[in-house]
Amino acid sequence: MLTSDSLVAPARLPREIYLANASHGLPSAPVFKALQDYLVEEAEWGGAHAVERHEEQFAAGYAAAARLIGADTDEVAFLESGNRALQALILSLRLRPGDHVLVDRTCWGGTLDMLADLPGVVVDVMSTDAHGRADVAATRATVHPATRCILLTWCPATSGIVNPAEEVGVLAREIGAFYLIDACQLLGQRPVDVKRLGCHGLAASGRKWLRGPRGTSLLYASREFLSARPAFMADQLGRLRKDARSHEQGEASYAGRLALGVAIQGALTLGLDAIAAQLSEVSGQLREGLRALSCVNVVESGEDLSAIVAFSIEGLSPEYVLAELARQGIRIGTLSATYAPLDMAARGLDVVLRAAPQVYTSERDIAALLQAIARLAAMA
Ligand SMILES: *Cc1c(COP(=O)(O)O)cnc(C)c1O
């Protein structure tokens, strides 16, 4: 059970029943306060000196980020978005025409677009099992010899499946490819240990499950990766560094960076095992409740599911459902095929409804959503 109310509860009273946590998690009071206080510091002291005055807090944030994923402090950096962190890792590979990149079916649309912009680089897609997860055994037989990198979406945005990240790491080692992980939907949901995963790089949004501020992300680059593949187009400050922060731009929202550090420290204080247990409990309730409604299709399957619940309602468009729920003060999300085109096409979906609880989600919130959906479906 999670005991620290000040780290669990949102800083501000949500205006709606809030179940759009896969898009944005609501910040806790310490995160919100850190953000506000730092802006005041910048206004009163100027940006450069404000950084100096808070050196210890920034260092504590990076140390916490390293602890969160089992890395060393010189292997983590704070960037501006999940996309930006993925881009930094991919560009540092310096792929050449004829190089192959192996992705899983749930690969983020933005990542596929980035890879398509690299001249001559070929993208291969892993085989999948019956649940749509990467099937490592089936993939092993078909890996192209010019595969330079495997890029795995650990937990997709489009459903609750969780890809077998450790097993994929074994395959990457076998074929001598770099291994990068998109953990945008996983970091903050579950414990992460990059050494066990054997990955060279990992990227995650700050605003999603870590409940950090917008415009932040975490980048991990292993020491080995940093020396083999230094940051691509580092800025003048980045060029002076050899650590993961060579990927950072000197100019950024320092308030955001500081507050992301506070969000990570909060997650560590609550404990990732306790967070994972709580998320499993509330998302389990939500999923079971939806499955019990005759008109609802929960469009994901498998034993080990994340807190993202994807579903559709027979006879009602996702856009209509979203708008109707919003009218009733309930906020969920939709996700269209552009965000994960391969996965959505394989599942025959254009748009999917997505509800994601957080540690602050109550049984009453879930009951309210289930009731509202039952009413909508009855009218369809
Ligand atoms: C959100 C997300 C991204 C992109 O992250 P941003 O912080 O929005 O740039 C990438 N991959 C997955 C799986 C995501 O859910």
Side-chain angles (χ1 to χ4, degrees), residues 22 80-84 86 106 108 111 153 155-157 182 184-185 204-208 216-217 354:
E80 284 64 49
S81 72
N83 256 328
R84 180 69 191 88
L86 286 163
T106 67
W108 185 246
T111 305
T153 309
C155 180
D182 174 348
C184 286
Q185 290 293 359
S205 312
R207 72 177 189 283
K208 293 178 180 172
T216 62
S217 65
R354 186 173 75 171

Side-chain angles (χ1 to χ4, degrees), residues 57-287:
Q57 280 114 304
F58 283 109
Y62 288 110
R67 218 166 343 121
L68 179 72
I69 61 171
D72 291 320
T73 304
D74 58 356
E75 296 175 311
V76 294
F78 292 160
L79 272 69
E80 284 64 49
S81 72
N83 256 328
R84 180 69 191 88
L86 286 163
Q87 187 181 58
L89 292 170
I90 290 169
L91 288 177
S92 68
L93 289 169
R94 295 166 173 81
L95 295 169
R96 287 194 292 248
D99 285 347
H100 283 234
V101 176
L102 182 60
V103 302
D104 73 286
R105 196 180 86 182
T106 67
C107 188
W108 185 246
T111 305
L112 291 171
D113 291 342
M114 274 187 244
L115 291 170
D117 280 344
L118 299 174
V121 169
V122 183
V123 175
D124 301 320
V125 184
M126 292 183 217
S127 307
T128 49
D129 68 10
H131 303 299
R133 288 178 307 205
D135 183 333
V136 176
T139 300
R140 186 173 273 119
T142 59
V143 175
H144 194 278
T147 301
R148 302 287 169 249
C149 170
I150 300 183
L151 201 159
L152 182 77
T153 309
W154 196 348
C155 180
T158 44
S159 80
I161 66 161
V162 180
N163 275 310
E166 272 186 51
E167 245 186 280
V168 173
V170 174
L171 176 63
R173 279 196 294 284
E174 277 170 20
I175 64 170
F178 287 114
Y179 182 29
L180 305 179
I181 296 181
D182 174 348
C184 286
Q185 290 293 359
L186 188 122
L187 196 64
Q189 277 211 55
R190 293 180 174 203
V192 170
D193 182 346
V194 288
K195 301 281 143 80
R196 256 180 58 188
L197 294 163
C199 61
H200 296 89
L202 177 143
S205 312
R207 72 177 189 283
K208 293 178 180 172
W209 297 94
L210 289 171
R211 302 170 60 195
R214 293 205 68 173
T216 62
S217 65
L218 186 151
L219 173 145
Y220 160 76
S222 72
R223 275 200 200 119
E224 180 198 347
F225 188 56
L226 285 164
S227 62
R229 294 289 186 274
F232 183 73
M233 300 233 304
D235 73 3
Q236 69 281 10
L237 286 177
R239 278 170 207 281
L240 300 174
R241 311 187 67 111
K242 295 265 176 281
D243 60 8
R245 292 177 60 191
S246 55
H247 284 280
E248 290 181 349
Q249 301 279 309
E251 185 48 22
S253 163
Y254 283 80
R257 282 186 188 167
L258 190 92
L260 176 62
V262 173
I264 292 171
Q265 291 172 68
L268 287 170
T269 303
L270 290 176
L272 268 295
D273 285 317
I275 290 173
Q278 179 71 15
L279 290 178
S280 164
E281 166 108 20
V282 278
S283 61
Q285 279 169 12
L286 173 57
R287 203 172 271 124

